Amino acid sequence: MINDKKVLYSGMQATGNLTLGNYLGALKNWLTLNEEYECFWGVMDLHSLTVRQVPSEFRKNARNLLILYIAAGLDPKKNCIYFQSHVSAHAELAWLLNCFTYVGELNRMTQYKEKAAKHADNVNAGLFTYPVLMAADILLYQADYVPVGKDQKQHLEITRDIAERFNAIYGDVFTIPEPYFGKGGTKIMSLQNPEQKMSKSDENVNGSIYLMDDPDTILRKCKRAVTDSGSEVCYREDKPGVSNLLEIYASCAGKSIEEAEKEFAGVGYGEFKTAVAEAVIAVLKPLQDECSRLQKEKDYIDALIKENDEKAAYFANKTLRKAKKKLGLTEVR
Ligand code: TRP
């Protein structure tokens, strides 16, 4: 508990182009959580290093992700928005937790197996111990809840296992985190393959709408989206393409699926797709404008970063000190 509130922790990796799926499925649903929880949102730049980065681009991407959090509406005075790499306790606790994690457990992580297959030329130890760093992120803040998508569920489970193992030996050091389901973000699928999640690492760029895509690109991608046989705009299991577009439209326009279906009754696919694109542009254009505005406010952003880094470090170091002491690491004051 911090300020009588339960703690909620999450973050995104500072790499790749975030997609409309990341926004509608995650970020957008984070905006009001600070009313009920003490929230920490990390820019997970240490995790990004498990894949080779170009320093100049990486630096920009990480800062832009932090700016995006703010532009999207996370109030940086009420949420702790910070860089993982600025709080050294993350790397430090990750080492300690490495000694309480079994190779066999890490070997079972499906994301590791997938990434190792995909980056066969760079299966580094960081990729392998990625979940341990994630456990450190969460446990440092004594988080009660972690909003996670399906792909991170296994990582949250291993976090709980590591914390329980540590607590069983040393007493109550870590809060055991629970997954946070909330209202449930919208799951957005690829425009080219609606059976697959819209992903920032999709090789087919037409499958994903990136948050920084310009209006023409958005319109083109929506127009090219695969639809299904028939001509009716309706939400049905056998119409995954149209259903996904309806989902996108409803979420962007702030309407229910039923309302959207009614609106497009008797409307052809072409006109429908244009309307979807317009709804997406109406959401992304202001977000993009706000990002560019904030990118120019260097001093303002720098001051926020400093303030939030310090706040994060305060809580993280408290937990780290406790863990080190329990382990018997010596202290000189
Ligand atoms: N691994 C997460 C992802 O790729 C990002 C992440 C790192 C994270 N540390 C975390 C998410 C802690 C929640 C809590 O999506």
Side-chain angles (χ1 to χ4, degrees):
M1 299 286 255
I2 297 177
N3 299 328
D4 283 337
K5 283 177 172 174
K6 290 205 168 183
V7 177
L8 189 140
Y9 189 96
S10 195
M12 290 184 186
Q13 275 203 59
T15 26
N17 277 324
L18 289 186
T19 69
L20 185 66
N22 296 117
Y23 178 72
L24 298 177
L27 190 48
K28 189 176 165 219
N29 308 290
W30 294 356
L31 303 183
T32 52
L33 292 176
N34 73 282
E35 286 161 21
E36 194 171 345
Y37 305 101
E38 192 70 31
C39 295
F40 293 85
W41 311 106
V43 171
M44 301 309 183
D45 49 0
L46 295 176
H47 276 111
S48 303
L49 292 175
T50 51
V51 196
R52 205 68 75 224
Q53 303 291 335
V54 179
S56 55
E57 282 173 24
F58 181 37
R59 199 174 291 128
K60 237 191 331 209
N61 285 343
R63 190 173 166 104
N64 284 344
L65 177 59
L66 181 116
I67 287 176
L68 176 73
Y69 285 171
I70 301 171
L74 283 175
D75 183 340
K77 297 279 178 193
K78 296 184 181 151
N79 292 270
C80 187
I81 301 173
Y82 74 102
F83 292 97
Q84 181 189 32
S85 68
H86 294 190
V87 178
S88 56
H90 287 256
E92 229 178 307
L93 184 64
W95 172 257
L96 304 180
L97 298 181
N98 262 323
C99 303
F100 293 85
T101 308
Y102 297 110
V103 169
E105 278 176 304
L106 292 175
N107 259 326
R108 284 198 294 274
M109 295 290 120
T110 46
Q111 195 170 70
Y112 167 67
K113 287 190 254 185
E114 279 167 24
K115 286 189 182 173
K118 201 169 153 196
H119 303 280
D121 56 336
N122 184 18
V123 185
N124 59 71
L127 202 59
F128 189 59
T129 60
Y130 179 114
V132 185
L133 178 59
M134 185 158 157
D137 302 338
I138 297 166
L139 300 178
L140 275 176
Y141 300 88
Q142 306 288 355
D144 297 281
Y145 295 111
V146 182
V148 280
K150 233 195 197 154
D151 58 333
Q152 297 298 319
K153 242 183 93 198
Q154 206 182 21
H155 291 161
L156 184 59
E157 272 155 26
I158 198 175
T159 299
R160 291 168 54 93
D161 291 343
I162 296 169
E164 277 166 3
R165 187 171 302 145
F166 196 101
N167 283 356
I169 308 171
Y170 301 102
D172 258 347
V173 178
F174 300 119
T175 302
I176 310 297
E178 309 263 351
Y180 176 85
F181 297 109
K183 281 180 240 111
T186 320
K187 191 169 176 204
I188 303 298
M189 312 306 281
S190 158
L191 298 182
Q192 291 297 315
N193 177 5
E195 310 285 340
Q196 205 182 291
K197 201 174 123 183
M198 185 181 281
S199 156
K200 55 184 173 182
S201 50
D202 195 341
E203 265 142 42
N204 185 346
V205 292
N206 288 318
S208 305
I209 295 176
Y210 300 108
L211 294 185
M212 294 304 146
D213 276 350
D214 61 41
D216 287 346
T217 308
I218 295 171
L219 182 63
R220 183 167 44 78
K221 287 180 178 175
C222 287
K223 286 273 186 194
R224 277 199 200 167
V226 299
T227 35
D228 316 281
S229 55
S231 58
E232 227 185 318
V233 177
C234 59
Y235 195 90
R236 270 205 335 246
E237 212 168 301
D238 64 336
K239 295 183 95 137
V242 171
S243 298
N244 185 40
L245 290 173
L246 269 169
E247 194 83 71
I248 293 173
Y249 177 83
S251 183
C252 287
K255 294 179 180 164
S256 68
I257 297 285
E258 297 74 39
E259 283 171 320
E261 274 182 319
K262 268 196 208 121
E263 204 173 322
F264 295 109
V267 171
Y269 282 167
E271 199 180 317
F272 168 56
K273 286 174 167 179
T274 308
V276 174
E278 280 166 1
V280 172
I281 294 165
V283 168
L284 293 191
K285 185 71 176 43
L287 184 65
Q288 294 168 358
D289 291 347
E290 183 61 2
C291 283
S292 343
R293 189 185 71 78
L294 289 170
Q295 277 158 10
K296 289 180 210 121
E297 301 267 349
K298 190 171 175 307
D299 293 347
Y300 168 69
I301 296 293
D302 284 349
L304 282 178
I305 292 175
K306 261 189 112 176
E307 193 181 312
N308 278 309
D309 281 354
E310 273 168 27
K311 181 174 169 192
Y314 169 79
F315 291 107
N317 286 329
K318 224 158 92 170
T319 303
L320 179 65
R321 270 199 305 274
K322 193 165 154 192
K324 286 170 89 170
K325 198 166 162 195
K326 293 279 188 182
L327 285 166
L329 292 165
T330 53
E331 261 185 301
V332 177
R333 283 186 187 265

